[in-house]
Amino acid sequence: MKQNGVNSFTTQEVLDFMKSRGALYKNSTIKTHICSKCCINANKNHATVYNDYRRIENGKYELSNV
């Protein structure tokens, strides 16, 4: 993760981080945003999408504007 000087992260790392910060969102909601709504190279299945992340391999992402 970027906080460790690495520009890649897994879905599980995000889930663990958000849980440690007290996030109340369901895991499925978080995964949907990471894997689909905020991923620049995901299939366009949503009316509103963001280009925050890029999938670099299955379950692994990087920030797209670094």
Side-chain angles (χ1 to χ4, degrees):
M1 296 181 79
K2 193 67 173 173
Q3 68 187 34
N4 297 329
V6 177
N7 185 38
S8 63
F9 57 90
T10 65
T11 307
Q12 189 61 53
E13 287 176 322
V14 173
L15 293 171
D16 294 343
F17 179 80
M18 291 186 72
K19 183 178 180 181
S20 76
R21 300 293 176 141
L24 301 176
Y25 299 105
K26 292 181 180 180
N27 284 354
S28 60
T29 300
I30 297 168
K31 288 179 181 180
T32 296
H33 278 79
I34 295 169
C35 301
S36 186
K37 287 191 66 104
C38 298
C39 186
I40 194 169
N41 56 344
N43 293 331
K44 304 303 181 212
N45 296 322
H46 304 280
T48 303
V49 294
Y50 305 94
N51 295 327
D52 298 326
Y53 313 121
R54 178 182 326 290
R55 182 180 299 114
I56 55 176
E57 62 184 65
N58 189 26
K60 194 167 188 177
Y61 301 85
E62 67 181 358
L63 296 175
S64 64
N65 57 357
V66 179

